[in-house]
Amino acid sequence: MLMRLISELGPWSWWLLGFVLLAAELALPGVFLVWIGIAALLTGLLSILFWTMGFWVWQLQFLVFAALAVVATFAGRRFLSSSEQATDEPLLNQRGASLVGRTATLPEPIVNGRGRIRLDDTYWPVMGPDLPAGTRVKVVSGTGRDLVVEAA
């Protein structure tokens, strides 16, 4: 049945597949089917040019489609990764890194290199030299959820 549909539609079957994939991209999250849809449309364009040629059998069409899908996917990835825009808040989702340079007073001592400080409304686990309670410390870096501090 599928082969019959492809033979009746001719080169337009690739166009139909391409538009179905592009429509599916609108319904599904992510940006992946668009590249495969573009590959199907390009294969449809080649099919319009070569449909009457004897060498343009369905096996070759499928290989061309697969190769174009791989090329379009890599080109799309490169295009999307190079279009990263500069932001005015580069540390937006890196809360620990955004606290570097802040100072606080130790509510309790740092013992064996571990302690905690309060910044704004949150208690943060800290690592640093052993210091008594009441010492002013400065956040030097953030490692995961821990902050690294030194005496201010």
Side-chain angles (χ1 to χ4, degrees):
M1 178 176 144
L2 184 60
M3 292 303 291
R4 183 173 159 249
L5 180 65
I6 291 173
S7 66
E8 286 179 8
L9 287 176
W12 300 107
S13 59
W14 286 108
W15 286 86
L16 179 65
L17 176 65
F19 286 123
V20 166
L21 288 169
L22 291 176
E25 180 66 41
L26 294 174
L28 299 173
V31 184
F32 183 71
L33 292 177
V34 68
W35 311 119
I36 300 174
I38 288 172
L41 293 175
L42 290 174
T43 305
L45 181 66
L46 291 173
S47 291
I48 288 174
L49 297 173
F50 300 131
W51 191 257
T52 58
M53 306 288 184
F55 68 87
W56 194 248
V57 294
W58 70 269
Q59 295 92 339
L60 180 61
Q61 292 176 38
F62 182 76
L63 288 174
V64 167
F65 167 67
L68 286 173
V70 169
V71 168
T73 301
F74 282 119
R77 254 184 97 196
R78 179 173 288 243
F79 171 73
L80 287 179
S81 68
S82 69
S83 66
E84 292 178 7
Q85 298 176 0
T87 176
D88 59 340
E89 301 226 13
L91 301 175
L92 180 64
N93 291 322
Q94 301 173 15
R95 183 118 188 252
S98 69
L99 298 173
V100 172
R102 301 260 320 255
T103 58
T105 303
L106 288 173
E108 54 193 51
I110 297 179
V111 179
N112 295 327
R114 306 285 303 165
R116 66 183 190 150
I117 60 172
R118 181 180 171 105
L119 290 171
D120 299 327
D121 61 347
T122 306
Y123 281 96
W124 287 87
V126 296
M127 298 184 310
D130 290 351
L131 297 169
T135 306
R136 295 279 300 164
V137 292
K138 180 179 179 181
V139 178
V140 205
S141 68
T143 60
R145 67 180 193 100
D146 294 337
L147 299 176
V148 178
V149 296
E150 62 183 23

